[in-house]
């Protein structure tokens, strides 16, 4: 270290001398003064010494290179999309011609955004995945393009990179660790790709391998997003998206640690087993693949291989003999249980992260994959959130105002309610209608109304996102994913009935826990019976109509099940 310091000092002295000489030679004045020369020597020595104190890592160098490259791509993509809309939608275009031109702009914009996601990868791919869930807000061209290409068809890492990661993490190539290992991945997502393997006992395994260089590129993504947020705040001081940078910085390192994902999977399985022991029969129909820890590291995750149908692949579900109603019920039960009972929530439930199969006993079984992004919510937040959703479902304006205040919504409780439900305030508090008022319509008109709402209340929405509890941000993302899955299944179940039942049960359990009495057992039994009756209504479709094709309709117009849950909560 001392030798290095001495050599750096000599380098700094030489820099100072050379700069001083150059300065004197290039000037028409007399040679540099002693004061100036001392300053230049100090500058040279200080610059050299900084190389000793601040030794940039490989990640630092990658961030320094990738951040401006990504920013340049962002600006080029945004500029080309805006220019396309500006030049294509001429004032003289009217009627069908304008609609056709607009659809063309949407499709070209979606393709440009897709190419940006592919080029930058990492966070950008995850952003594109979420765009694919927003079919109630964004043009169909953007949604379908992102959904088709970014859920499990992302660019793949070549075999040599996969092999290098195995050698670095496990000290051996995959062919030495498994009886067989398919070089060609069966799926590739934003952070990793999945290979099929067979261990030496003949068991099929799914091996998830992180894309090479992702840690460095994701650090650059965070820096890029931070730069964009700072630019927006500089241009528009009232729009501060610093919370977005905070969320990315907190969650991305966890998603990149596959040991953390394995721990999440184990805890999710334990919660499901606890629910099953507590009498929730549906919990026995939800499966989390087991982990093979001998070949699992921070960048490699080996787990049980699952054959199944995509959760939204209705043709494949039909071949399995599983109805969309059964699947929708399992999804709703599983995630309502996470949110309103256990408080440990899988926050990335898009269609590629869930499968459906026939369990060994012949029952339909939901399989939960990709446990990298979870959020643990406190009991106080969980109960306030349950109270808020019960108030939303039953059009209780006072309850909405009260529980929204606990979420830091303040006087913007009506805007907050609109964000949660994606419905107008007047519709949310309309006590004359049933839960069908909360069903999200997917049409050009509703998308236009949503865009108008966001434009009108953009500042209020930004302020709400900045001050609301952090767990709520990921729950909003979770809600978008679940709505998208339910829509793809045809909305076969009144999921608001299940939500109302679980909210009421959570609040009632808390009330009985703090105010026990001699009739606690009887009241809990009555509550269990009412919850069972509400589930039977959802399962059997009581009080539901049928559409022209004979398939049961969405059922969101059924008011009986929610009111059963309301009785249970009373």
């Amino acid at each position: 270290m001392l030798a290095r310091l001495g050599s750096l000092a000599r380098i700094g002295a030489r820099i100072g001398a050379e700069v001083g000489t150059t300065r004197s030679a290039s000037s028409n004045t007399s040679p540099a003064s002693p004061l100036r020369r001392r300053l230049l020597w100090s500058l040279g020595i200080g610059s050299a010494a900084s190389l000793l104190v601040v030794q940039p890592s490989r990640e630092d160098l990658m961030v320094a290179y990738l951040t401006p490259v990504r920013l340049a791509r962002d600006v080029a993509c945004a500029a080309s999309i805006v220019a396309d809309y500006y030049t294509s939608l001429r004032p003289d275009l009217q009627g069908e011609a304008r609609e056709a031109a607009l659809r063309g702009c949407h499709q070209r914009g979606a393709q440009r955004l897709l190419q940006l996601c592919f080029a930058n990868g990492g966070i950008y791919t995850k952003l594109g995945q979420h765009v694919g869930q927003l079919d109630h807000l964004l043009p169909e061209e953007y949604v379908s393009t992102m959904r088709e290409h970014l859920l499990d068809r992302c660019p793949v890492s070549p075999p040599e990179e996969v092999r290098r990661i195995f050698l670095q993490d496990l000290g051996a190539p995959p062919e030495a660790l498994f009886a067989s290992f398919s070089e060609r991945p069966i799926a590739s997502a934003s952070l990793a790709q999945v290979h099929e393997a067979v261990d030496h006992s003949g068991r099929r395994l799914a091996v998830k391998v992180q894309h090479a260089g992702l840690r460095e590129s994701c650090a650059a993504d965070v820096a890029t997003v931070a730069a964009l947020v700072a630019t927006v705040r500089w241009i528009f001081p009232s729009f501060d998206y610093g919370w977005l940078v905070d969320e990315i910085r907190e969650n991305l390192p966890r998603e990149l640690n596959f040991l953390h994902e394995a721990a999440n999977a184990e805890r999710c399985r334990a919660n499901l087993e606890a629910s099953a022991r507590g009498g929730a029969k549906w919990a026995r129909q939800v499966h989390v693949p087991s982990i093979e820890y001998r070949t699992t590291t921070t960048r490699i995750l080996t787990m049980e291989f699952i054959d199944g149908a995509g959760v939204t692949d209705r043709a494949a579900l039909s071949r399995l003999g599983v109805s969309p109603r059964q699947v929708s019920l399992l999804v709703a039960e599983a995630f309502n249980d996470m949110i309103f009972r256990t408080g440990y929530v899988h926050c990335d439930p898009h269609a590629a992260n869930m499968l459906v199969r026939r369990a060994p006993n012949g029952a339909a079984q939901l399989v939960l994959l990709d446990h990298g992004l979870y959020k643990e919510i406190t009991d106080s937040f969980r109960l306030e959130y349950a109270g808020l959703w019960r108030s939303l479902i039953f059009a209780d304006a006072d309850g909405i105002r009260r529980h929204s205040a606990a979420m830091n919504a303040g006087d913007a409780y009506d805007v907050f309610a609109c964000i949660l439900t994606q419905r107008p305030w007047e519709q949310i508090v309309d006590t004359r209608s049933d839960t069908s008022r909360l069903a999200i319509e997917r049409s050009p008109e509703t998308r236009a109304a949503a865009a108008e709402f966001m434009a009108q209340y953009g500042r209020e929405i930004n302020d709400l996102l900045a001050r609301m509890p952090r767990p709520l941000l990921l729950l909003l993302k979770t809600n978008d994913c679940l709505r998208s899955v339910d829509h793809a299944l045809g909305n076969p179940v009144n999921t608001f009935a299940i939500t109302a039942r679980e909210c009421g049960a959570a609040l009632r359990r808390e009330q009985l826990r703090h105010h026990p009495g001699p009739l606690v057992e009887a009241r809990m039994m009555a509550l269990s019976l009412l919850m069972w009756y509400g589930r039977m209504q959802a399962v059997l479709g009581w009080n539901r109509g049928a559409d022209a094709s004979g398939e049961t309709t969405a059922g969101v117009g059924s008011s009986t099940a929610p009111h059963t849950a309301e009785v249970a909560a009373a």
Side-chain angles (χ1 to χ4, degrees):
M1 177 66 75
L2 291 174
R4 180 182 173 121
L5 180 59
S7 63
L8 287 173
R10 286 192 297 274
I11 293 171
R14 188 164 61 249
I15 292 173
E18 290 177 358
V19 171
T21 303
T22 302
R23 173 70 178 175
S24 299
S26 62
S27 175
N28 294 325
T29 62
S30 60
S33 67
L35 176 60
R36 179 180 296 170
R37 187 166 297 173
R38 284 195 296 271
L39 289 173
L40 292 172
W41 273 67
S42 300
L43 176 62
I45 293 174
S47 300
S50 68
L51 297 175
L52 177 68
V53 177
V54 182
Q55 300 181 40
S57 64
R58 181 174 181 271
E59 181 175 309
D60 294 331
L61 295 174
M62 286 289 289
V63 170
Y65 165 72
L66 290 174
T67 300
V69 171
R70 277 162 157 65
L71 277 172
R73 288 177 185 152
D74 294 347
V75 172
C77 179
S80 62
I81 291 175
V82 171
D84 190 12
Y85 280 99
Y86 183 77
T87 57
S88 299
L89 301 178
R90 304 189 312 272
D92 59 308
L93 285 178
Q94 300 294 330
E96 293 184 2
R98 182 176 178 82
E99 286 300 317
L102 183 60
R103 288 194 298 271
C105 289
H106 290 335
Q107 188 58 57
R108 291 189 295 274
Q111 289 296 330
R112 291 184 177 105
L113 183 58
L114 177 65
Q115 292 306 314
L116 177 67
C117 293
F118 281 162
N120 284 353
I123 291 174
Y124 290 81
T125 306
K126 297 190 78 66
L127 170 64
Q129 287 176 346
H130 194 59
V131 168
Q133 315 302 313
L134 302 178
D135 46 7
H136 56 294
L137 293 177
L138 300 177
E140 174 62 26
E141 291 81 2
Y142 283 91
V143 173
S144 60
T145 299
M146 300 300 121
R147 187 178 292 172
E148 179 180 353
H149 294 281
L150 290 181
L151 290 184
D152 56 5
R153 299 187 194 175
C154 297
V156 302
S157 298
E160 55 270 19
E161 289 188 356
V162 173
R163 183 182 179 86
R164 188 181 305 116
I165 287 177
F166 268 91
L167 289 171
Q168 291 172 348
D169 285 22
L170 293 169
E175 61 268 21
L177 299 168
F178 305 101
S180 69
F181 182 87
S182 175
E183 285 192 349
R184 184 175 182 179
I186 57 176
S188 182
S190 56
L191 303 183
Q193 59 194 42
V194 179
H195 298 258
E196 184 177 353
V198 177
D199 68 9
H200 294 286
S201 68
R203 184 174 51 148
R204 294 175 72 194
L205 299 169
V207 185
K208 180 176 176 180
V209 184
Q210 192 172 115
H211 295 307
L214 198 61
R215 293 169 187 257
E216 293 83 358
S217 64
C218 284
D221 288 341
V222 174
T224 303
V225 173
L228 290 172
V229 166
T231 301
V232 170
R233 186 169 60 242
W234 179 64
I235 300 173
F236 306 104
S238 59
F239 287 87
D240 184 2
Y241 291 94
W243 55 268
L244 178 60
V245 180
D246 294 339
E247 284 297 302
I248 294 173
R249 282 178 175 152
E250 177 184 351
N251 294 311
L252 189 58
R254 296 175 182 173
E255 290 193 79
L256 293 175
N257 184 349
F258 288 172
L259 291 175
H260 178 75
E261 178 175 346
N264 286 340
E266 299 288 3
R267 184 168 175 181
C268 179
R269 185 185 303 108
N271 287 340
L272 288 169
E273 291 170 354
S275 294
R277 289 194 299 270
K281 292 184 178 180
W282 61 264
R284 303 183 189 278
Q285 294 176 256
V286 182
H287 181 72
V288 175
S290 59
I291 308 298
E292 176 54 67
Y293 284 97
R294 288 177 296 181
T295 48
T296 291
T297 70
T298 57
R299 296 189 296 174
I300 301 171
L301 178 62
T302 305
M303 68 201 104
E304 166 192 8
F305 189 94
I306 302 292
D307 271 319
V311 71
T312 57
D313 188 343
R314 298 174 72 174
L317 293 175
S318 178
R319 289 193 293 271
L320 280 176
V322 179
S323 70
R325 174 183 295 280
Q326 290 174 283
V327 176
S328 185
L329 268 174
L330 284 174
V331 172
E333 294 280 14
F335 283 89
N336 274 286
D337 187 68
M338 290 182 195
I339 294 170
F340 298 114
R341 192 187 69 81
T342 69
Y344 200 65
V345 187
H346 187 313
C347 292
D348 200 16
H350 60 68
N353 286 343
M354 292 185 278
L355 295 175
V356 178
R357 68 171 182 175
R358 283 289 181 185
N361 63 1
Q365 190 175 64
L366 176 69
V367 181
L368 299 180
L369 306 173
D370 195 347
H371 298 266
L373 185 60
Y374 270 68
K375 194 68 177 181
E376 184 168 15
I377 56 179
T378 64
D379 286 344
S380 58
F381 176 89
R382 178 175 57 84
L383 294 170
E384 288 290 353
Y385 192 64
L388 175 59
W389 265 105
R390 188 178 65 169
S391 299
L392 289 167
I393 290 171
F394 296 118
D396 177 6
D398 290 337
I400 294 171
R401 187 180 297 107
R402 184 173 65 257
H403 293 295
S404 295
M407 302 284 177
N408 298 329
D411 293 336
Y413 61 87
D414 50 348
V415 177
F416 182 53
C418 294
I419 293 174
L420 284 174
T421 62
Q422 303 292 326
R423 308 307 301 147
W425 173 251
E426 295 77 13
Q427 201 166 322
I428 294 171
V429 294
D430 184 0
T431 58
R432 297 169 299 174
S433 61
D434 49 41
T435 55
S436 62
R437 73 190 193 285
L438 296 181
I440 296 177
E441 302 173 11
R442 289 164 169 81
S443 66
E445 292 75 20
T446 56
R447 292 188 184 103
E452 183 180 349
F453 173 82
M454 288 187 287
Q456 182 177 355
Y457 294 101
R459 182 168 299 178
E460 289 84 352
I461 293 172
N462 175 68
D463 291 342
L464 278 170
L465 292 173
R467 68 175 185 261
M468 68 175 51
R470 288 292 174 259
L472 190 54
L473 295 172
L474 282 179
L475 290 184
L476 292 176
K477 176 181 183 292
T478 303
N479 288 344
D480 286 335
C481 292
L482 294 175
R483 286 186 184 117
S484 179
V485 168
D486 200 50
H487 173 64
L489 289 169
N491 300 307
V493 170
N494 185 354
T495 55
F496 291 116
I498 299 172
T499 299
R501 188 196 72 212
E502 289 300 320
C503 290
L507 295 169
R508 191 60 183 155
R509 280 193 297 266
E510 184 69 8
Q511 188 177 13
L512 292 177
R513 188 168 70 89
H514 288 289
H515 301 90
L519 299 180
V520 168
E521 294 296 331
R523 293 163 73 185
M524 288 301 292
M525 183 176 294
L527 174 62
S528 299
L529 288 172
L530 285 168
M531 290 176 63
W532 172 85
Y533 179 67
R535 175 168 171 77
M536 287 302 99
Q537 286 183 308
V539 172
L540 300 177
W542 295 342
N543 299 312
R544 299 182 188 278
D547 60 18
S549 65
E551 182 179 347
T552 305
T553 59
V556 291
S558 172
S559 59
T560 306
H563 288 299
T564 301
E566 188 174 25
V567 172

